[in-house]
Amino acid sequence: MTLRTPLTELLGIEHPILSAPMAGVAGGALAGAVSQAGGLGLVGGGYIDPDWIEREWAALGNARAGIGFITWRLAEQPAVLEAALARRPAAMMLSFGDPAPYLGRIRDAGVLAICQVQTVADAKRAADAGAQIIVAQGADAGGHGASRGTFALVPAVVDAVPAVPVVAAGGVGDGRGLAAALSMGASGVLVGSRFYATSEAQARPEAKQRAVEASGDQTIQSSVYDRARGYAWPSAFRLRTLRNRFTERWHGREEAMLETLDEVLAGFGRAVETGDLDEAPVVVGEATDLIRDVPLAGDLVRRMVQEAEMALRHGVRCIEQEET
Ligand SMILES: Cc1cc2nc3c(=O)[nH]c(=O)nc-3n(C[C@H](O)[C@H](O)[C@H](O)COP(=O)(O)O)c2cc1C
């Protein structure tokens, strides 16, 4: 059995698995490893640091990859779009903001345009504006997201944009999630949190270990880290991380936090530098329940595909039976 879908056909890949363009975490090593294993890795253009992007793109070597940007950030630095297109990525993904001003340029450059959306209405708007692949992201996701859960959003988006391959994101942590996404009519999955805890991801080893140990029960969607860092995120989006001392202290008390912002920022900076994860964020979503080790990214791709194939053939309980 091979999991061929409109997504694998369009992207020319073997497995319907994309690794998310995680800001500061998904560099060339991770994206390249996912692509070499038959998925497609996306480099995290994130908050846009041109030097970081150049270095990570070089780290890909000969591996194919895409790149993702935070749309409202791109609006502040449009030249970065041209530089990225000149590198001939396999695809460019835009999330969090209106993609319409950019889609024509991306398509004209011969690059596949992927839009990540959080509502059915935005899926329709993205399709009308020319998105060639739509990622339906549920609020279970690690990192920024909105409010709808993945399980109802994905089939609704599949129905709303029948001409466009839809990719499910948010809460996919193993082959059961991939099988479920395909069963809901999606053409594949985009996975962030699970790849955060792989050898190639640029997260601290201690942060990966926290992801291994944590339950999804311990995550929270909050604006405290964005407010503290002064990032102008549109109000629809909040950041899902593990709960820690920082979120416990400030979530719901953002105004009080802003009153002592200099102090908060200095403390935050120190925490990031020293790796104090009670204060600095561990950015994973509800799928952290399913993170039990820190494998090589390519092995994870192969494992997810095997599990999904087994789940689709026999039902998910067989995964556990065959493992024991
Ligand atoms: C550490 C981390 C950083 C992320 N950074 C970005 C980003 O810069 N741009 C983006 O479009 N999505 C980002 N995301 C969200 C992913 O694109 C994706 O929607 C999400 O990871 C899917 O849910 P999952 O984490 O449950 O797999 C990030 C996710 C994580 C876990």
Side-chain angles (χ1 to χ4, degrees), residues 36-274:
Q36 272 160 351
L40 182 72
L42 301 180
V43 169
Y47 294 98
I48 303 176
D49 170 350
D51 293 340
W52 186 88
I53 295 172
E54 193 179 333
R55 194 184 66 226
E56 295 306 325
W57 202 262
L60 280 166
N62 292 328
R64 219 171 148 240
I67 186 163
F69 289 111
I70 294 171
T71 317
W72 63 265
R73 262 318 250 225
L74 199 54
E76 295 166 6
Q77 279 179 277
V80 172
L81 180 80
E82 291 304 324
L85 290 173
R87 297 189 177 102
R88 317 273 331 138
M92 184 174 284
M93 176 168 135
L94 301 182
S95 312
F96 313 122
D98 180 9
Y102 310 103
L103 293 178
R105 178 68 197 108
I106 296 170
R107 292 184 61 152
D108 286 349
V111 173
L112 279 167
I114 308 178
C115 291
Q116 178 163 252
V117 300
Q118 292 76 24
T119 64
V120 178
D122 279 350
K124 286 185 190 155
R125 269 193 284 272
D128 290 344
Q132 290 155 297
I133 296 167
I134 290 189
V135 180
Q137 186 213 38
D140 329 24
H144 285 89
S147 53
R148 292 209 51 181
T150 307
F151 205 81
L153 178 66
V154 170
V157 170
V158 168
D159 291 346
V161 294
V164 182
V166 173
V167 174
V172 177
D174 61 22
R176 292 174 294 186
L178 171 55
L182 297 176
S183 302
M184 289 192 284
S187 288
V189 292
L190 176 105
V191 177
S193 299
R194 188 61 191 88
F195 281 110
Y196 182 94
T198 56
S199 308
E200 294 90 340
Q202 292 183 19
R204 283 179 176 268
E206 305 81 17
K208 295 177 187 178
Q209 192 51 36
R210 289 227 179 172
V212 168
E213 287 161 13
S215 158
D217 296 355
Q218 293 161 263
T219 68
I220 183 172
Q221 255 194 339
S222 176
S223 304
V224 284
Y225 280 115
D226 293 331
R227 302 286 297 271
R229 292 180 293 185
Y231 286 158
W233 272 89
S235 58
F237 306 113
R238 282 156 296 143
L239 181 74
R240 190 178 290 282
T241 63
L242 294 186
R243 291 173 187 271
N244 62 6
R245 250 188 351 235
F246 191 90
T247 61
E248 293 302 301
R249 189 185 315 124
W250 295 122
H251 181 67
R253 297 186 60 237
E254 286 82 356
E255 297 310 319
M257 179 178 78
L258 294 179
E259 280 166 23
T260 54
L261 192 57
D262 286 348
E263 209 178 300
V264 171
L265 261 182
F268 176 74
R270 272 195 307 277
V272 170
E273 220 165 87
T274 60

